[in-house]
Amino acid sequence: MFEFGVLGPLSVHRGGRPVVLSAPMLRRLLAVLLVRAGRPVQLSDLLDALWDGHPPPSARKTAQVYVHRLRRELQGAQSLRHGPLGYSLTVDPTELDLLRFVDLADRGRLARRGGLLEEAGELFRLSLSLWRGTALADVRDVGLLATEATRLEQQRLQVYEEYAEVALELGGHADVVTELEELTRAQPFRERLRGQAMLALYRSGRRADALSLYRDARRLFAEELGIEPGAPLQHLHAAMLRTHGGTLDVVTTSGAAEQAGDASPESSGSADGAGMPGGKSAAGTPGRPASPFAESSATPGNARGLATGTASRVDTGRHGAGRLPVEVTSFIGRQSELKAVARLVRSSRLVTLTGVGGVGKSRVALRVAHDAQSAFPDGVWFVELSALQDPGMVAHSVVRALDLDDRTVKTPAEVLEEFLLPRRALLVLDTCEHLVDACAVLVETLLKSAPGIRVLATSRESLNIAGEEVFVLAPMTVPRPLHPPGSTLESDAIALFVERAQAANQEFTLTPVNRDAVGRLCAMLDGIPLALELAAVRLRSMSVEQILERLDYSFTPLGFGRRTALPRHQTMRATMDWSHHLCSAGERLLWARLSVFSGSFHLDAVESVCCDRELPRAAAADLLSGLVEKSVLQWEEGISGTRMRILDTMRQYGAEQLSRRGEPERLRMRHRDHYLGSVIRFEEGWFGPNQLSWCRLMRLEHDNIRSAIDFCLSRPEEHLAGLDLVGRLWWYWTSCGLYAEGRHYLDRFLSLDQEPGPERIRALWACGHVAMGQGDADAVHRVAMMCRTLAAESGDRVALGFSQHLLGTAAALRGELEEAAVLTAGAVRQVRGTGSGANALAMCLIGRGFVHLLRGELEAAIGVLQEQRSLSDECGEVWTRAWGDSLRSSVDLARGDIGSAVTHARAALTVRYQLSDSLGFAMCVETLAQAALAGGAARRAACLLGAAQRIWRMSSPPQLGSPELRAARALCEQGARALIGDAAYESAYSGGEELSLDEVLAYAYDAVPGPDDPPLQP
């Protein structure tokens, strides 16, 4: 019998044992079928869910493969069917927690209507006790599942409100007052909850606190929504002012109350934000054991969860966000450690988990982070540093993990300080030991500047800064002495080993025959989780006794003495040596060579970097499979196919073996050459029909590209190759929003003493384009002048045209339009005369069109932009076309053609969103605001201006410093204020500032109403 769970992370159990679906696509597929259990899911919806709205051409066939795999995982379940309306999964109501939740809640409502209040309260409590956390917490990274998860969270919150109302009717205000008070803080716009909290506080003798909740509502509703609290809250407030005896009774289902005998039956719809973009949701879990964070926040749940491939994007609605990796294997034991670390995180602003390699620091930190989400309204963020080598990139990595704008000229630390200053959030910095000094400096800076921020770090050594609490994570408990009767089942190490062993060999069970051997094996491995997992995978080909025999033999030469007294580091080292010894010669060689990779990598990269006569390409795939089976590597399935990742501890061990072979330098150079080749192919193929795919692929290769750049920086003889590498990445830095990182690397290489050459010329114009995106007109002018000088000396006419383009655009940003006109016209002539290709000409035409727009030469601008669009369309590319569409929308707006302006702006906005190009995104949103004002929708214009400002705020300077762009924004603001007044403008503007990029995109297409729009009609 199966047990499925969606009221929390997706879970599957068969006969009480967990079924691990490690492939993200399988988990998404099952989640979609479960939330619509018994109902058909159209193929289009299924494809959108699996590929987040962007299914590849082969999606239909691939989806059928996943359906087949899911049937196999579910033992060929005939309940997974395909019919004329789509795929459906029929499950027994007792097998799915969602169906049990709905059934119990419905029965509670029936009992309440029948006057059976105590029975109703118990049924509501039981229904809420089924929740294990945020709905679909580990798979809600795509639109359809995110929508379903939000819907479920709203149902959860509604049931909690009904439960609380029954409790109040039964006089149980003391049982719910604390939770209601906390929930009201988490859900400030939900009037029903606020009314219940006021009543519970009043009955508990806390009349002042109850009245304070109403005053807070009046202030908040006026500031955020421009409205007064609804009639039920007003009646309740009035009754509390008249009465001092704590005798108010519940009289409506929306939280209003009056004195008995003086009740008003009025009720109104709640202003709970359900119709607003990003409206929050929460619900309760009475009767369930509290999470470790229940002491600090009684909020029984939240709508703040969710995952993305190997990482999970946590959308917290209007006020926060977060990013946590998905846990693809079950978490065993460690309950006391989890509680202890959770207490430290509540009481200390910096907690560092230390311990030996493989002891489970990252998994414990991740689980604590998941449990902590409700305590941090602005998000819990996981920053993985294991693949990072350059200490100067630590802050950049945190900026990137937080999805912050990467184009400002401020330092990354300054960007983080500004963003985190008003927020309550938790940062998890994972694997700090190799960057401990840089991590310590950044953490100390952030803790001093942002009082609401807390940090949980994992490191083999402490950060050693003031206020740090260090928690040493010990290995898992093992039976001591080795085999007392019954002790095995009480050991966390045993539980972990048994579960991983069953995953490796389904026929394995813990029996009286092997119980003693399993206990001795776990004790010998000292309870280190990674060592246990490495041993468990050997059960595919050995018995426990055989593993013990070989492990005992492999330890003996190391001279460690008694097995039960092995020091932790020596135990892990010995286990790694043993695993290495059990590999074939080819696997050992490949393991060592794979240590040069950072992050994930593809088979072709392995063949290019690691293979030679000693390690033939034909053998690579089989050797990789062998290393996966031995848990040295992990598979990752994504949009670009199957990739692999080597565990950090395994990478370090492999690097030692590579050094012993004397191969590090040669392999690092081959690694650099491979990724330089990838970058060259990217540069050559960028201006074509596959830009979105290129962008996704480059993001997957980002860690390895960084590693290649770091290698070039570390050796003077490689500086020229590094300059070539970072210069060729200029499309990536600018089109995918990585301005600050690109500027960091370009500035470093350009500062080195190098001879003039084509690599330096390219890097100079790349730096100019990156600086332009940052609005740094002075830097653009400086590097463009150097580029022009070198280009003229070398006769590089394309570079000469690019330098003039940069100089002209910089002049335009400074407001020097006459000079800008001359320079951009010259740039177009220069590049056109070289016949160098459409990409260079398209870029220069954009600059020329921009200057025409600023000068009010609208017809000339249209002519230039039409040519630019033709070039883009002929090549099938979208990025420069989006720039052209953005400029064309401004031109159309100036000509009074509002419809065309909106059409072009929306087209550009979609591409900007897909590429994470926040600069272009903000410019499009401001154009849409101006179009809304021109159409008389002043509130909409104010909301969009607020949304754009949220993006511009992280920039230096806003509107790229252009006087004309700033003037256009100011005119839009003045017009909107004149139409609706300052109060309504500020309310709509503030609402827009709270919208996420997803919500802005939906609002731009009228998919959702804005903060001051009426709800959309179905």
Side-chain angles (χ1 to χ4, degrees), residues 5 13 35 231 319 338 376 501 511 632 654 709 881 888 903 905 958 993 1001:
H13 287 76
V35 295
H319 294 292
L338 290 175
F376 294 95
T511 67
V632 176
I709 294 172
R881 173 175 169 169
R888 179 60 188 266
T903 298
E993 285 188 299
L1001 185 68

Side-chain angles (χ1 to χ4, degrees), residues 103-180:
D103 177 65
L104 288 167
D106 287 343
R107 288 165 56 192
R109 295 183 183 104
L110 286 173
R112 187 181 180 193
R113 284 198 293 269
L116 304 174
L117 295 185
E118 291 184 355
E119 182 179 340
E122 178 63 13
L123 288 167
F124 286 140
R125 187 191 67 78
L126 288 174
S127 69
L128 292 166
S129 70
L130 295 171
W131 285 75
R132 297 169 287 109
T134 304
L136 301 170
D138 54 343
V139 293
R140 52 182 298 173
D141 56 322
V142 292
L144 189 149
L145 287 175
T147 300
E148 290 291 341
T150 301
R151 177 181 63 82
L152 294 178
E153 294 286 352
Q154 290 289 340
Q155 289 183 14
R156 180 188 190 187
L157 181 54
Q158 183 179 356
V159 172
Y160 182 79
E161 289 172 330
E162 293 174 284
Y163 167 76
E165 201 149 278
V166 169
L168 290 171
E169 289 177 22
L170 291 171
H173 49 272
D175 298 329
V176 294
V177 61
T178 301
E179 199 158 38
L180 283 170

Side-chain angles (χ1 to χ4, degrees), residues 865-885:
L865 294 175
Q866 284 177 340
E867 181 184 0
Q868 183 269 335
R869 182 167 186 170
S870 295
L871 289 172
S872 296
D873 288 347
E874 287 173 8
C875 297
E877 72 87 44
V878 294
W879 184 63
T880 53
R881 173 175 169 169
W883 270 110
D885 283 342

Side-chain angles (χ1 to χ4, degrees), residues 189-352:
F189 296 104
R190 197 146 186 128
E191 290 192 75
R192 187 180 189 186
L193 271 178
R194 190 175 290 269
Q196 292 171 343
M198 289 171 61
L199 184 62
L201 287 168
Y202 182 88
R203 287 185 178 177
S204 300
R206 297 169 58 188
R207 179 173 178 268
D209 290 337
L211 295 174
S212 176
L213 275 186
Y214 182 80
R215 289 194 300 272
D216 290 344
R218 287 199 65 186
R219 174 189 55 78
L220 187 65
F221 285 21
E223 292 177 356
E224 297 283 337
L225 306 176
I227 62 175
E228 286 286 323
L233 275 187
Q234 294 183 35
H235 292 320
L236 178 58
H237 178 246
M240 288 180 174
L241 290 176
R242 293 195 302 268
T243 311
H244 295 270
T247 58
L248 293 180
D249 295 323
V250 175
V251 296
T252 76
T253 59
S254 57
E258 285 283 3
Q259 278 183 286
D262 187 29
S264 168
E266 292 182 20
S267 66
S268 67
S270 70
D272 61 5
M276 298 165 60
K280 296 179 183 176
S281 63
T285 56
R288 278 184 60 80
S291 78
F293 282 83
E295 296 172 26
S296 63
S297 174
T299 305
N302 55 80
R304 302 180 174 110
L306 115 142
T308 309
T310 59
S312 114
R313 165 75 189 220
V314 184
D315 189 350
T316 64
R318 298 170 67 84
H319 294 292
R323 185 181 294 277
L324 294 176
V326 178
E327 296 181 278
V328 296
T329 58
S330 57
F331 189 92
I332 304 296
R334 298 288 201 190
Q335 295 307 307
S336 61
E337 291 95 331
L338 290 175
K339 292 177 182 178
V341 176
R343 283 194 297 270
L344 287 176
V345 172
R346 287 197 301 273
S347 61
S348 305
R349 297 191 59 211
L350 170 61
V351 178
T352 301

